[in-house]
Amino acid sequence: MFSLENKTAIVTGAGSGIGKATAQRLKRAGANVVAADIVDCAEEASRAGCAFRQVDVGEPEQIAALCDYALEEYGSLDIMVNNAAISTGRMLAEVDSEENSLRFWRVNLLSAQMGTKEAAARMKPGGSIINLTSITALRGFPQWSEYGATKGGIIALTQTAAIEYGGAGVRVNAVAPGIINTPMAMREAPDMVEKNAEIFAPLGRIGTPEELAAAIHFLASDDASYITGQILSVDGGWSAGTSLQAFGMAMQS
Ligand SMILES: NC(=O)c1ccc[n+]([C@@H]2O[C@H](COP(=O)([O-])OP(=O)(O)OC[C@H]3O[C@@H](n4cnc5c(N)ncnc54)[C@H](O)[C@@H]3O)[C@@H](O)[C@H]2O)c1
């Protein structure tokens, strides 16, 4: 079940957090895995049995070269996980640099657009593309307009690509994490981040990178062969609505 034998996968942003857990999980499921990151993680990737390519996903020609590498090295490209991203929280009124905003757009959204296009062009029927969006694309969060806008774009991209590549037998889905315990989420004020998850996620806790990897693994596998164009929230139920914890706090105040 969920075997990835004889398949080749690319995971971007595989040096940390969700990407790292995903690369390791897909490898354990039998796939050839090409781990890609802007930071050199060759040694760690090799310990997990993965190949490594140092890539800036904000540069479309580097994504095309990455897909070529997987195809030439392993003879097929079957799974593409467009996971690499950057984040920062600031109010819209504090956004002061067009250059910074454009970098967000390139690394978070253009990367997924080109990653989807370049991978799909090299896939046979049965190919699966998984894009990482976010709960910040499903509802508004103060301080997350720049990041959330790129993640909202990924939802539109995923749905449209699923329609356009459906005839070629290539599936395109997205996963939408809530708060997950990774360096991205915990960089600043980890206690506050964890507390937020405890209050707002109905399951009452922060998620783990492995829980994201499990969902990505399922969508990558042939067991998900009739699922395309979907956004799978992996957020402890946060996107379902107000948690009992938050409701209780509001009632007490
Ligand atoms: N952690 C969360 O709470 C959370 C919530 C919602 C969505 N997400 C999404 O999940 C995905 C993974 O996030 P994470 O929390 O594991 O982040 P992370 O910061 O732990 O890992 C991101 C990885 O991407 C790499 N990267 C950054 N810029 C790159 C570039 N230009 N080219 C190639 N690699 C680059 C980094 O070096 C890093 O290894 C992202 O798309 C993120 O937006 C995470």
Side-chain angles (χ1 to χ4, degrees), residues 13 16 18 37-38 55-57 83 85 133 147 151 178 180 182 184:
S16 170
I18 294 167
D37 206 287
I38 198 166
V55 168
D56 180 352
V57 296
N83 166 77
T133 176
Y147 172 85
K151 294 298 185 179
I180 311 302
T182 71
M184 178 186 281

